[in-house]
């Protein structure tokens, strides 16, 4: 599905613009900034707030896409191949981008160097920081949720009994219960109440529990299944539940923003829900079209779309701290604040293209050679066999939906 690459890039740009043109100055109303505060320029964009404050919903779009793509990968891989593929996809970019972020903080940040060291090692190892401490860059919290989801899928594959369908049902119920309780509690509290903040805390520090975000990954799996066969009535109910659960998570987080930041108090919490729903509908429509064309060999996605998909991941990892530092340098050089944002994003896109086209492949090649040398590469499965996960989906016999791995 070639739609996933541009959709993922659009979501990443939405998050980047949110951080640079809204969160960069609006965080003072809440008081929870990350290390980007140490490299930020003193610029404000209040007139852009109505158009930028909801860009964070790109994360929820990422999670739905990830559920779809990871389901596709798991249905055509052995457990060892799946784990290796995930590691080769996420670690090289993290190592490059986390090191670049650390160096920017070290040489251009206003904070003491000692406070960046432990977060840097956490980022390099992709170890969740827990409830206390700091992320090297606040955007890394999503990687905790992603790796937790990968771990669930890998464990399911190892059991040879738990299918993607089972996993989707489990995440649907688990996350729906939490989000229903969270919505109930949030509706009875004000932002100054501790229970309200405890509910919101699970969005970032405890993302690895997948409490509030499991529904988005589950929805991605359901959409993948729908791309391969007609859903049963029970599965259609599950999709409805995941959509309602996801809307609830977005609603109570948006409500927290709207009640805590005066600059957007007149906005509606329905806006990010509508943006997210539009993205989900696009994926669902593409999945339905893919199922209807089963048996027809899919056309190869254009090379430029694949490039967009490859750029998205390092762009997401670098736009916040590094992008903020570039904007400060541009503002100090005499550019107006708005122009500085767009120039910084353009520079980051070029840098991220270089990372994904040159640096990441070199790191992956070195890792593959090292694994081959020590005989640790997973054995390839015969092409004629189906995985137990794929059988659990009852996929029709053509091949599952062809998805660009760059979108994962």
């Amino acid at each position: 599905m070639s739609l996933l690459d541009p959709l993922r890039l659009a979501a990443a740009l939405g998050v980047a613009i949110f951080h640079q043109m809204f969160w960069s100055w609006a965080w003072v109303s809440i008081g929870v900034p990350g290390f980007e505060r140490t490299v930020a320029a003193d610029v404000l964009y209040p007139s852009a707030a109505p158009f930028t404050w909801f860009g964070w919903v790109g994360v929820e779009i990422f999670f739905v896409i990830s559920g779809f793509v990871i389901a596709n990968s798991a249905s055509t891989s052995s457990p060892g191949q799946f784990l290796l593929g995930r590691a080769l996809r996420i670690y090289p970019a993290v190592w490059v981008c986390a090191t670049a972020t650390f160096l920017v903080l070290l040489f251009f940040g206003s904070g003491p160097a000692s406070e960046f060291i432990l977060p840097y090692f956490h980022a390099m190892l992709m170890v969740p920081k827990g409830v206390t401490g700091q992320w090297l860059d606040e955007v890394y919290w999503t990687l905790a949720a992603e790796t937790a989801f990968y771990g669930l899928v890998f464990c399911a594959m190892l059991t040879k009994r738990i299918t993607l369908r089972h996993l989707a049902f489990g995440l649907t119920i688990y996350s729906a219960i939490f989000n229903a309780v969270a919505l109930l509690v949030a509706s009875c509290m004000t932002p100054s109440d501790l229970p309200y903040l405890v509910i919101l805390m699970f969005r970032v520090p405890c993302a690895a529990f997948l409490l509030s975000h499991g529904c988005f990954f589950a929805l991605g799996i359901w959409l993948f299944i729908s791309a391969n066969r007609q859903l049963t009535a029970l599965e259609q109910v599950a999709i409805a539940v995941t959509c309602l659960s996801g809307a609830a998570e977005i609603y109570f987080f948006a409500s927290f923003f709207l009640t805590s930041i005066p600059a957007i108090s007149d906005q509606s919490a329905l806006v990010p829900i509508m943006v997210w729903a539009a993205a989900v509908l696009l994926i669902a429509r593409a999945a339905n079209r893919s199922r209807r064309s089963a048996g027809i060999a899919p056309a190869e996605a254009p090379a430029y779309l694949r490039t967009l998909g490859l750029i998205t991941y390092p762009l997401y990892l670098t736009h916040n701290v590094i992008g903020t530092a570039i904007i400060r340098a541009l503002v100090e050089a005499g550019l107006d604040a708005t122009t500085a944002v767009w120039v910084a994003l353009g520079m980051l896109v070029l840098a991220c293209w270089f990372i994904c086209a040159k640096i990441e492949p070199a790191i992956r090649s070195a890792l593959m050679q090292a694994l081959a040398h020590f005989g640790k590469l997973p054995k390839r499965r015969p092409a004629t066999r189906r995985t137990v996960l794929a059988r659990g989906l009852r996929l029709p016999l053509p091949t599952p939906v062809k998805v660009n791995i760059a979108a994962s």
Side-chain angles (χ1 to χ4, degrees):
M1 286 171 57
S2 57
L3 165 74
L4 298 185
D5 284 324
L7 185 59
R8 185 78 178 265
L9 181 63
L13 289 174
V15 175
I17 293 171
F18 160 76
H19 279 129
Q20 301 303 352
M21 299 191 75
F22 181 78
W23 188 243
S24 61
W25 56 272
W27 65 261
V28 295
S29 300
I30 302 176
V32 286
F35 286 140
E36 67 272 13
R37 72 186 184 278
T38 69
V39 295
D42 186 17
V43 291
L44 305 177
Y45 305 90
S47 61
F51 314 102
T52 59
W53 74 269
F54 54 86
W56 50 266
V57 81
V59 169
E60 281 78 356
I61 296 172
F62 290 154
F63 289 158
V64 175
I65 294 173
S66 183
F68 189 104
V69 173
I70 296 307
N72 181 78
S73 178
S75 69
T76 56
S77 305
S78 68
Q81 288 173 323
F82 173 80
L83 191 62
L84 178 62
R86 291 298 87 210
L88 291 176
R89 177 71 182 106
I90 61 178
Y91 272 108
V94 165
W95 293 339
V96 173
C97 297
T99 299
T101 299
F102 177 68
L103 292 175
V104 166
L105 290 172
L106 202 60
F107 292 108
F108 302 103
S110 59
S114 58
E115 70 175 335
F116 307 138
I117 296 174
L118 185 58
Y120 171 65
F121 285 109
H122 279 173
M124 292 291 282
L125 298 173
M126 291 186 61
V127 176
K129 73 177 182 66
V131 177
T132 60
Q134 284 265 55
W135 298 96
L136 182 69
D137 188 325
E138 288 296 315
V139 300
Y140 279 70
W141 75 265
T142 61
L143 298 185
E146 290 279 356
T147 52
F149 176 59
Y150 300 164
L152 279 178
V153 174
F154 175 69
C155 291
M157 295 174 75
L158 286 179
T159 66
K160 299 183 179 181
R161 292 182 178 275
I162 300 176
T163 68
L164 284 174
R165 184 172 180 269
H166 296 145
L167 190 60
F169 271 122
L171 282 172
T172 297
I173 296 169
Y174 168 80
S175 187
I177 291 173
F178 179 82
N179 282 331
V181 172
L183 186 63
L184 178 64
V185 172
S187 66
C188 301
M189 302 293 171
T190 65
S192 61
D193 290 319
L194 180 61
Y196 190 92
L197 296 178
V198 168
I199 292 298
L200 290 175
M201 179 187 73
F202 284 91
R203 177 179 171 87
V204 180
C206 300
F209 296 150
L210 297 179
L211 285 167
S212 57
H213 297 100
C215 58
F216 300 108
F217 294 106
L219 178 56
I221 297 175
W222 289 127
L223 291 174
F224 169 73
I225 295 174
S226 74
N228 288 279
R229 63 166 171 80
Q230 190 73 37
L231 295 178
T232 66
L234 183 60
E235 290 166 346
Q236 291 174 10
V237 170
I239 279 195
V241 170
T242 59
C243 288
L244 290 173
S245 179
E249 190 276 336
I250 295 169
Y251 179 81
F252 66 69
F253 189 70
S255 297
F256 172 70
F257 261 37
L258 297 178
T259 53
S260 303
I261 302 176
I264 55 171
S265 59
D266 61 339
Q267 299 297 305
S268 171
L270 295 179
V271 173
I273 294 176
M274 292 170 62
V275 172
W276 173 76
V280 170
L281 285 174
L282 284 174
I283 300 171
R285 182 178 178 183
N288 182 63
R289 189 163 57 244
S290 176
R291 186 183 69 249
R292 292 179 182 276
S293 62
I296 302 174
E300 194 70 29
Y304 70 88
L305 289 182
R306 175 171 173 76
T307 301
L308 292 181
L310 292 172
I311 288 173
T312 297
Y313 182 37
L315 176 62
Y316 179 76
L317 296 178
T318 58
H319 77 266
N320 193 31
V321 169
I322 298 175
T324 297
I326 294 173
I327 290 170
R328 187 180 78 177
L330 293 173
V331 169
E332 290 176 351
L335 263 67
D336 68 273
T338 301
T339 303
V341 170
W342 300 114
V343 172
L345 285 176
M347 293 172 66
L348 282 176
V349 167
L350 290 175
C352 292
W353 171 83
F354 182 77
I355 290 172
C356 71
K358 305 296 181 182
I359 301 178
E360 284 188 74
I363 296 175
R364 289 194 188 99
S365 178
L367 289 173
M368 290 291 286
Q369 290 178 12
L371 290 171
H373 177 74
F374 291 104
K376 299 298 183 181
L377 285 176
K379 294 180 180 179
R380 290 189 174 276
R381 184 180 42 184
T384 56
R385 294 183 59 193
R386 289 268 190 189
T387 62
V388 173
L389 284 174
R391 286 199 300 270
L393 293 179
R394 298 191 293 276
L395 298 179
L397 284 172
T399 323
V401 179
K402 186 171 184 180
V403 178
N404 219 334
I405 196 65
S408 62

